Amino acid sequence: MLQLDLNRYRCALFDLDGVVFDSESQYSVFWRKECHRYHPDQPGLEQRIKGMALTEIFSTFFGDVRAEWGDITERLNAWEQAMRYEYVAGFESFLAMLRQHGVKTAVVTSSNRAKMESVYAQHGDGFKGMFDVIMTAEDFDRSKPDPDCYLKGMARLGCTAEQTLVFEDSINGLKAGRDSGATLIGLATTNPADVVKEYTPIIIKDYT
């Protein structure tokens, strides 16, 4: 069972897909199709892009098909609008427990604001009210695995790394959380525990 000293931690930063929502597998289906469409010679590419902002995905892996970026974005927007955003088991009660103990909470995601509108459409304003801050790709200068997003999240909530918990699942996200200096809790929702443990010894399968 995960034991937290809530006298030590004052902030909790959560990635979105695979951490708040059990949705990462839906993205895997989308990006597997797109990667196979444009880069059939690179099997497994969809795993390497997890946790990265769309602009970073394009510039790093799709620079050779720049003319297709608009079409890929349109397909992604349509996919996200049709996705189901269901919470990882136990998340809502776990978050409520943190907030009852005065821990500030934030979503720190590589998803953009357009994607978040799809989330709000399914969950209403209640989702926004669950967090003190929601930060998206537009708020960061550098994409994961750079820790920029988590450093900015800590600054926004007024917490030091020593006071902060980071919850992540993807390899790029785990690297970012680790390098931020915060206490990193890895979720074995996207990658198996054996992979996650390379970045943190604290691993959970969900919040129950």
Side-chain angles (χ1 to χ4, degrees), residues 131-152:
F131 303 93
D132 294 287
V133 173
I134 295 177
M135 302 180 73
T136 61
E138 292 86 351
D139 296 309
F140 313 124
D141 298 319
R142 295 176 295 279
S143 182
K144 302 171 185 177
D146 192 285
D148 177 63
C149 59
Y150 286 118
L151 296 175
K152 283 185 167 61

Side-chain angles (χ1 to χ4, degrees), residues 16-17 22 25 30 34 65-66 69 73 78 88-89 104 106 109 111 118 137 163 207:
L16 191 68
D17 295 291
D22 188 14
S25 61
F30 174 83
E34 296 299 318
V65 291
R66 183 179 292 268
W69 289 5
T73 301
V88 172
K104 298 178 182 178
T109 177
S111 297
S118 297
Q163 297 171 316
Y207 299 95

Side-chain angles (χ1 to χ4, degrees), residues 32-51:
R32 188 176 300 117
K33 292 178 180 178
E34 296 299 318
C35 291
H36 182 72
R37 183 196 304 265
Y38 297 107
H39 298 293
D41 58 326
Q42 299 185 52
L45 180 59
E46 70 276 4
Q47 297 298 322
R48 295 168 59 193
I49 68 178
K50 287 182 181 294

